Amino acid sequence: MILSVDPASGVELARFTPHSPAEVDAALDAAAGAQARWRTLDVTERVGLLRELARVLRAGKEKYARLITAEMGKPLAEAEAEIEKCAVTCEHYAEHAPAYLADRPVVSNASESKVVYDPLGVVLAVMPWNYPFWQFFRFAAPALAAGNGTILKHAGTVPQCALAIAEVLRDAGAPAGLCATLLVEADAVAGLIADDRIAAVTFTGSTQVGTIIAAQAGAALKKQVLELGGSDPFVVLADADVPAAAATAVRARFVNGGQSCVNAKRFIVEDAVADEFVEAFTTAVAALRIGHPGSPGTDLGPLARENLRATLHDQVERSVAAGAKLLLGGEVVDGPGFFYPPTVLDHVTPGMAAFDEETFGPVAAITRVTDVTEAIALANRTEFGLGAALWTRDLGRAAHLVRELDAGAVFVNGLVASDARLPFGGIKKSGYGRELGAEGIQEFVNTKTVWTGPAAPPAGFPASVLRPAALPAHNRGGGASTVPLVTRAIGARVFLNGTTAFEGGAGIPLHTHNCPESVVILDGEAIAEIDGVEHRLSRWDTTYVDAGTPHRFRNASATEPMRILWTYASVEATRTIVETGVTTRVDAESR
């Protein structure tokens, strides 16, 4: 049974029977079929769904926000901001997905090469409870724009949010079956990953579960994106704007009740400003209002589950026992619900739980350092690498220091946050792959190379000599027309060309090339010998010569000059003299 529980009271809100194996199988079949049709639409058609998603989300913002607050426990204002962020992200990809997915041409010898982006198929999204709408839509908006389908397996504690997401997709007009929500237990995930109808997996959650998901997806050889735990450093150097840093630090740590992978968790402060920072930070934290998340003015609601509170309190007690100084909080709140007070620990050092482990809740750990070298070293002294903040007035120095911080994102003098325009993800045990930005939409696509060589001459194309009348002219309007002598004859992009002038009676020896060649007579008359057959050519006549075909040209007049334009379907064309067998590279100076 899947239960929905109010973390502010501990009271059960609803319970749901998990989907049966037959229902899961039907959903997978429907998603695979719908995605096969969805991928055939042009991206400019697919993004229409994203615009509708943004509209539906905003129209139901209050309803969905109250559902988030009821099941997860974040303050109502933060829940409303979450819905708005989902809508903004859908709009971002509606506007930019066509450019993100546009074919990328690549110039290649004797070819028309390009890189194209095709959808992978149906992507399984195993999502967490802390941002129940945002975590799904930040993945789904780019995935759907790219032509994929989605199967959502949400956290077991937010089943009503999961069903509401299905409602949003349906109301926005998503094709039937394309985006399915499955209410299943955690032990069903392995079977979903292994199923041939699932092409890839995205997971956001703990590092411990992430390693299991990675192993299962790896065994099935399926693409995966993992956004896992974090112990983000918030580095305050001696030259920082300390009041601004302290004010931002409060939001960085306590937004969403401190229950975010990208919350700042370790505050690493140079000794010279440590006392000033700690005083300003602690004063601001003490002013936070803890209360029911649905009440106006509440800054901090409950933790999402009782076991999360127990784990967090244990980390605080172990850190204090190891020598950390407790400045605020640190005691379990009496009464119903899973509340825990905003807590500040000072003089935290490596080896303490609050420094070494991810603290998922309203606990801030302050570490004092002697200089910037120690600050960077301790910032990197973690198994995680999601985000980092760096506070300094010296932006020149900051430009160098950000390269030394081990993190997927570094924010200088600001709050670490995700943004639809920027790639988001981590390194080390914070996972791999990226969401958001252009990089996010390209995670769940097949980056396909398309190489197109020179086309064979069209049926009925003369073997050697082509007269202007043999090719259709393209009417360009205004009485102008174009006869594509060279490019049509070559059948490929023009890569290398030049002109050769012949004095009266002059000629060149019999030779071959490693690529097709087209020659246009610009002035005079020529005699072309191609594969043993002679042709008399006049001005604007064109010859087409396949790679490896022996040929040569000479001036038909003994007194008047003759000039030709030659074009090769390669920038690395070579010429081999038949009589001697000597091969040389051709360029504009050697012909």
Side-chain angles (χ1 to χ4, degrees):
M1 193 63 62
I2 296 175
L3 303 182
S4 173
V5 175
D6 177 6
S9 65
V11 173
E12 180 181 314
L13 299 173
R15 59 175 55 201
F16 300 89
T17 301
H19 285 121
S20 68
E23 289 172 318
V24 171
D25 186 67
L28 290 172
D29 258 353
Q35 190 274 329
R37 297 183 293 273
W38 179 248
R39 67 175 293 153
T40 65
L41 300 179
D42 187 79
V43 62
T44 56
E45 298 178 79
R46 295 195 295 258
V47 297
L49 172 60
L50 304 189
R51 295 190 180 93
E52 278 301 296
L53 286 171
R55 184 190 64 78
V56 172
L57 284 164
R58 288 199 176 101
K61 181 185 295 185
E62 182 179 354
K63 175 177 69 172
Y64 300 134
R66 290 193 177 280
L67 193 56
I68 292 172
T69 295
E71 282 200 310
M72 180 265 153
K74 73 176 64 182
L76 188 59
E78 292 184 12
E80 291 177 343
E82 178 177 338
I83 298 298
E84 177 61 22
K85 191 170 185 178
C86 293
V88 168
T89 298
C90 288
E91 289 175 333
H92 172 81
Y93 281 105
E95 179 180 356
H96 296 284
Y100 289 157
L101 297 170
D103 295 352
R104 178 165 57 87
V106 179
V107 175
S108 178
N109 294 343
S111 73
E112 294 275 359
S113 300
K114 59 183 177 180
V115 177
V116 302
Y117 303 100
D118 294 336
L120 289 182
V122 178
V123 183
L124 172 65
V126 183
M127 295 287 101
W129 48 264
N130 57 341
Y131 287 92
F133 274 67
W134 166 241
Q135 299 283 9
F136 173 75
F137 280 102
R138 78 177 185 189
F139 144 74
L144 290 170
N148 296 294
T150 68
I151 296 288
L152 170 61
K153 188 282 174 200
H154 221 320
T157 57
V158 289
Q160 294 188 82
C161 287
L163 294 173
I165 288 171
E167 173 188 289
V168 170
L169 289 159
R170 183 177 62 252
D171 291 351
L178 183 66
C179 306
T181 293
L182 296 179
L183 297 184
V184 294
E185 301 287 0
D187 58 9
V189 171
L192 290 171
I193 292 174
D195 194 287
D196 289 339
R197 291 164 290 188
I198 294 295
V201 184
T202 181
F203 170 74
T204 299
S206 71
T207 299
Q208 291 75 17
V209 176
T211 59
I212 298 171
I213 297 286
Q216 293 168 344
L221 293 179
K222 293 183 179 179
K223 175 65 182 291
Q224 60 209 258
V225 170
L226 304 178
E227 196 266 279
L228 309 178
S231 185
D232 287 10
F234 188 103
V235 179
V236 181
L237 301 183
D239 65 343
D241 181 340
V242 175
T248 303
V250 176
R251 291 187 292 123
R253 185 63 197 105
F254 296 101
V255 69
N256 209 53
Q259 300 170 106
S260 170
C261 297
V262 78
N263 276 133
K265 299 180 176 74
R266 297 175 299 134
F267 297 86
I268 300 171
V269 188
E270 276 199 83
D271 282 331
V273 293
D275 287 342
E276 180 186 358
F277 175 84
V278 169
E279 181 179 358
F281 179 70
T282 305
T283 299
V285 173
L288 293 175
R289 290 162 295 185
I290 186 170
H292 192 282
S295 300
T298 293
D299 297 311
L300 200 65
L303 294 182
R305 300 194 307 269
E306 169 60 34
N307 64 327
L308 294 173
R309 181 172 69 171
T311 297
L312 186 68
H313 186 56
D314 176 67
Q315 290 171 316
V316 171
E317 289 190 314
R318 286 189 285 122
S319 299
V320 172
K325 184 177 180 181
L326 180 63
L327 302 184
L328 281 177
E331 296 293 336
V332 176
V333 177
D334 291 332
F338 314 134
F339 292 91
Y340 196 80
T343 298
V344 179
L345 298 172
D346 196 3
H347 298 284
V348 174
T349 59
M352 297 180 183
F355 188 95
D356 295 344
E357 302 171 12
E358 180 180 26
T359 51
F360 216 66
V363 173
I366 299 171
T367 298
R368 300 173 181 237
V369 294
T370 57
D371 56 27
V372 64
T373 300
E374 186 182 8
I376 299 299
L378 290 189
N380 292 336
R381 190 167 169 175
T382 174
E383 63 183 3
F384 300 108
L386 191 53
L390 176 67
W391 285 78
T392 175
R393 296 180 192 271
D394 188 341
L395 298 185
R397 180 171 65 162
H400 296 286
L401 293 178
V402 296
R403 306 300 292 269
E404 298 179 23
L405 287 165
D406 298 336
V410 180
F411 281 57
V412 178
N413 298 333
L415 177 74
V416 177
S418 55
D419 184 316
R421 298 166 295 182
L422 300 171
F424 179 84
I427 59 172
K428 300 195 287 189
K429 290 191 177 181
S430 288
Y432 45 76
R434 291 295 180 266
E435 296 178 296
L436 304 176
E439 292 79 2
I441 201 171
Q442 291 173 1
E443 284 286 1
F444 293 115
V445 298
N446 172 22
T447 303
K448 181 186 292 183
T449 295
V450 178
W451 189 97
T452 305
F461 195 88
S464 56
V465 178
L466 183 66
R467 306 295 181 185
L471 282 176
H474 297 297
N475 188 343
R476 309 190 62 138
S481 63
T482 298
V483 178
L485 295 178
V486 175
T487 55
R488 178 71 176 274
I490 289 292
R493 184 190 296 273
V494 175
F495 286 102
L496 180 66
N497 58 24
T499 61
T500 301
F502 295 76
E503 296 178 355
I508 54 178
L510 194 67
H511 62 282
T512 62
H513 294 295
N514 65 334
C515 61
E517 176 190 18
S518 178
V519 174
V520 180
I521 308 305
L522 295 179
D523 297 299
E525 293 189 346
I527 296 175
E529 180 185 334
I530 302 173
D531 207 15
V533 180
E534 285 195 354
H535 306 272
R536 194 173 186 92
L537 308 177
S538 300
R539 190 181 188 197
W540 303 126
D541 286 346
T542 298
T543 68
Y544 174 85
V545 184
D546 280 318
T549 301
H551 63 285
R552 61 183 168 187
F553 297 88
R554 70 177 185 271
N555 191 346
S557 171
T559 57
E560 298 296 322
M562 185 264 288
R563 189 164 58 98
I564 66 174
L565 168 68
W566 46 268
T567 304
Y568 299 99
S570 174
V571 293
E572 296 181 349
T574 62
R575 179 177 61 184
T576 300
I577 304 300
V578 172
E579 183 178 356
T580 64
V582 175
T583 299
T584 57
R585 178 166 175 165
V586 178
D587 56 37
E589 301 300 323
S590 66
R591 183 63 190 254

